[in-house]
Amino acid sequence: MINEAFLNDPYPAYHALRAQGALHWSPEFCGGAWLLTGHADVASVLRDPRFSVRRAGGWANSSGPGALAELREFKRIFSRSLLFVDAPQHTRLRQVMNAGFKPAALQELGPQIQMIVDRLLDQVLTKAADSGSGEFAEFDFMRDFARPLPALVIAGMLGIAAEDRSEFVAWSDDIAAFIGSPTPTLEIARAAQVSLIAMNEYFRQLLPQRRAALGDDLMSQLIRAEATGGIITTKELLAQCCTLLFAGHETTRNLLGNGMLALLQHPEQWQALQGTPSLLPSALKELLRFDSPVQYTGRRLKVDVEMHGQLMKKGDLVIPLIGAANRDPAKFTEPDRLDIARNQGAHLSFGYGPHVCIGATLTYLEAEIAMRSVMQRLPQLQLAGVTQSWGGNAVYRSLNRLSLKFARPSAAEQATPATSAEAQYA
Ligand code: HEM
C-alpha cells in the first residue's frame, strides 16, 4: 500500500480500501495490523479503553528480529510519554500538562508568536528585495517559514534556546522517520533511538539551572509539579519535554505547508479567503480535514474485540487511518472537494477521546496568525514553477519543499531591524 504514489496522494488508496469493506487485515503494515477507514469507526476506537496506546515496544519489534533488545532505551523513554500511557497514569500526566495549555496561557503567547512570524516574513521580504529585479520573488515556504515557525514557538514555550533549534529539529525528524515508517529498517530505528536519547539528555542537563530559577515556561511548570510530591517523576518530566518538542514541531509545519498548497491549488478558495479573512477559522478546520498532517495513529488491543463481523485478537495492532476518516463520504459530502466554508462537524486530525491533541488550541492560534500575516504581507502569492516535493513519511504527511512566488516588494516595504528582545526568537 505504501509506495511513492501513496506518499504523493494517499486518498485514492484510502477510497479503494473503503470500497472493499470497513475493516482490513494487512500482513505487511507494521508487521501486521488492522486498518480502519470510516469516520465513526476511527472515532469509536480512539475513545475505547479496550484499545491501548502502549505500543512503543511494538514499534521496536517491527524493525526486525532482535530490534526490541537493541531499542530498549527508545522504548524506556517513550513508554513514559503521555502519548503512550493509558489511564490512570495518562489522566495524572494529562492534568499536569493541561496547566500549560489553558486558553488564557495560550492567549498570552499570541504576541510572541506574532513577533516570530513577523521576523520570518521580514527575512523573506528582505531577501526578495536584495536579490534579483523581476516582478516576482521566489522562496521555499517550507524552509523559510513553515519549518522554523513551530520549532521557534515550542522552544519559546519550553523556555529553551532558539539557537539550539537546528539540533532539536534534526532529532525530531529522526524520531518521526521511525514512527512514520510502516516497515522501519533497523537503521531508521537506531537513528531514532540515538536522537531520542540526545533529546532526553538535553533536557536532563537543563534541569539543575531551571530548578534554580523557575520561570513561567512549560518546563518550569512541570518542575513545580515534580516538586509537589509524586505528581510527576523526573523521568516522566523529561519524557513529556521530549514529547512536546517532537509533537509541537512535527505537525504544525505540515498544517501550514499542506494547507498553503491546497489553497493555492484551488485559487477560487484562496481568493475567497483573501476577500473574507473572517473565514480563516473555518478554513483552518477544512484544511486540517482535507489533508491531515497526521495520517494515522495506532492502538493495541487489550482484549479480543469483534468488529464488522471479524475477530481482532488481544495484542493485535489497530491502525485508525485519520486521513481516510476525514474523507469518509458517509460523514462529509463530496469529501475530496476543498470548501473553506464547509460546516459539517468534526475532522479527526487532532485525534479523539482521552488522547485528543493537547496542542489543538495552540495550533489554531499559531496557524491563524501565520496565515493572516502571509496573506497581508506577501501580495499576489502563487505557486512557482516546479513547486512541491512530498517527503517519504506515511504518518506525518509532509512537504520537503514548496516553491512560491509573490510580487517583489519595493525598498519602502522592507523590514525593520529586530530589537534585542525580538532577536532571540528570530
Ligand atoms: C497541526 C498540528 C497538530 C496535529 C495535526 C496534531 C495531531 C495529534 C493527534 C492525532 C494526536 C492524538 C494521537 C493519538 O491518539 O494516538 C495528538 C496528540 C498530542 N499532541 Fe498533537 N497535533 C498537532 C499539534 C500539536 C502541538 C502544537 C503540540 C504541542 C505543543 C502537540 C502535542 C500533543 C501531545 C502532547 C499529544 C498527546 C496527548 C495525549 O496523549 O493525551 N500537538 N496530536
Side-chain angles (χ1 to χ4, degrees):
M1 178 174 154
I2 312 276
N3 51 28
E4 207 184 324
F6 175 87
L7 292 168
N8 286 338
D9 180 8
Y11 301 104
Y14 293 150
H15 287 317
L17 211 56
R18 193 189 332 271
Q20 289 167 34
L23 181 64
H24 298 264
W25 171 254
S26 162
E28 292 92 30
F29 213 95
C30 299
W34 295 98
L35 307 180
L36 281 165
T37 54
H39 187 280
D41 285 340
V42 168
S44 130
V45 161
L46 291 179
R47 67 167 176 254
D48 187 334
R50 295 173 300 170
F51 294 77
S52 167
V53 297
R54 297 182 73 91
R55 58 189 190 281
W59 276 331
N61 256 342
S62 68
S63 334
L68 190 55
E70 200 178 323
L71 300 179
R72 207 175 302 125
E73 208 45 36
F74 177 89
K75 187 183 162 206
R76 198 171 290 157
I77 298 172
F78 255 170
S79 59
R80 294 186 195 104
S81 157
L82 185 67
L83 265 167
F84 306 119
V85 294
D86 295 323
Q89 294 100 306
H90 176 259
T91 322
R92 171 176 56 83
L93 292 175
R94 179 95 187 195
Q95 266 164 9
V96 174
M97 297 270 275
N98 273 342
F101 289 89
K102 289 200 178 118
L106 293 181
Q107 280 313 320
E108 279 177 26
L109 265 181
Q112 210 177 87
I113 297 174
Q114 184 68 63
M115 197 165 72
I116 299 170
V117 165
D118 289 346
R119 298 325 304 177
L120 290 170
L121 291 177
D122 284 353
Q123 284 164 13
V124 170
L125 286 160
T126 306
K127 226 196 274 177
D130 290 351
S131 66
S133 55
E135 193 190 339
F136 283 92
E138 211 173 301
F139 74 114
D140 179 353
F141 183 76
M142 298 311 292
R143 183 196 59 208
D144 297 339
F145 190 72
R147 209 169 288 141
L149 173 62
L152 289 166
V153 170
I154 193 68
M157 275 184 86
L158 284 164
I160 59 181
E163 61 265 24
D164 293 342
R165 78 171 192 268
S166 53
E167 262 188 323
F168 63 70
V169 164
W171 295 331
S172 180
D173 285 347
D174 283 344
I175 297 166
F178 180 41
I179 294 180
S181 170
T183 48
T185 60
L186 196 50
E187 213 181 341
I188 293 178
R190 281 189 188 129
Q193 170 158 272
V194 168
S195 286
L196 184 58
I197 292 172
M199 208 187 250
N200 200 60
E201 191 54 25
Y202 174 85
F203 284 112
R204 204 182 60 75
Q205 285 181 11
L206 269 182
L207 269 179
Q209 73 186 69
R210 194 57 59 84
R211 280 195 184 115
L214 290 174
D216 292 333
D217 58 89
L218 204 47
M219 190 172 176
S220 296
Q221 292 187 32
L222 294 176
I223 293 173
R224 283 193 191 92
E226 179 206 21
T228 323
I231 299 182
I232 183 169
T233 67
T234 306
K235 285 178 178 167
E236 284 174 338
L237 183 160
L238 295 173
Q240 308 326 311
C241 290
C242 294
T243 304
L244 284 170
L245 200 52
F246 166 71
H249 157 71
E250 221 42 65
T251 49
T252 312
R253 67 170 160 157
N254 298 328
L255 165 60
L256 297 175
N258 305 358
M260 186 51 80
L261 176 65
L263 283 171
L264 295 178
Q265 281 177 331
H266 297 81
E268 78 296 345
Q269 299 285 310
W270 177 234
Q271 276 157 22
L273 184 58
Q274 285 183 308
T276 317
S278 59
L279 280 174
L280 199 44
S282 112
L284 288 173
K285 285 188 187 136
E286 174 67 350
L287 294 170
L288 280 158
R289 180 199 72 81
F290 186 75
D291 206 1
S292 181
V294 177
Q295 287 284 313
Y296 61 84
T297 181
R299 296 290 187 265
R300 256 189 210 276
L301 276 164
K302 288 181 183 169
V303 292
D304 292 358
V305 170
E306 201 186 308
M307 214 173 172
H308 297 292
Q310 301 198 63
L311 181 66
M312 302 190 285
K313 305 281 280 180
K314 178 179 174 184
D316 282 355
L317 182 64
V318 179
I319 301 288
L321 290 165
I322 291 172
N326 283 343
R327 298 276 190 121
D328 183 351
K331 174 75 184 171
F332 303 103
T333 44
E334 292 186 73
D336 295 327
R337 190 168 57 85
L338 180 74
D339 175 4
I340 59 167
R342 189 188 284 271
N343 184 10
Q344 279 192 297
H347 63 73
L348 293 175
S349 297
F350 289 124
Y352 195 68
H355 289 271
V356 69
C357 181
I358 205 168
T361 310
L362 168 64
T363 303
Y364 281 124
L365 175 71
E366 194 174 327
E368 193 168 334
I369 293 173
M371 292 298 217
R372 197 180 293 279
S373 302
V374 165
M375 281 198 292
Q376 284 166 353
R377 297 193 60 193
L378 304 182
Q380 298 177 56
L381 190 66
Q382 53 196 276
L383 298 171
V386 184
T387 264
Q388 80 254 12
S389 93
W390 288 101
N393 197 305
V395 173
Y396 301 104
R397 181 158 163 74
S398 163
L399 285 163
N400 289 330
R401 189 188 72 243
L402 177 59
S403 304
L404 303 183
K405 59 181 185 177
F406 61 97
R408 195 181 292 280
S410 66
E413 288 165 313
Q414 275 192 49
T416 49
T419 64
S420 57
E422 289 170 332
Q424 64 171 310
Y425 295 109

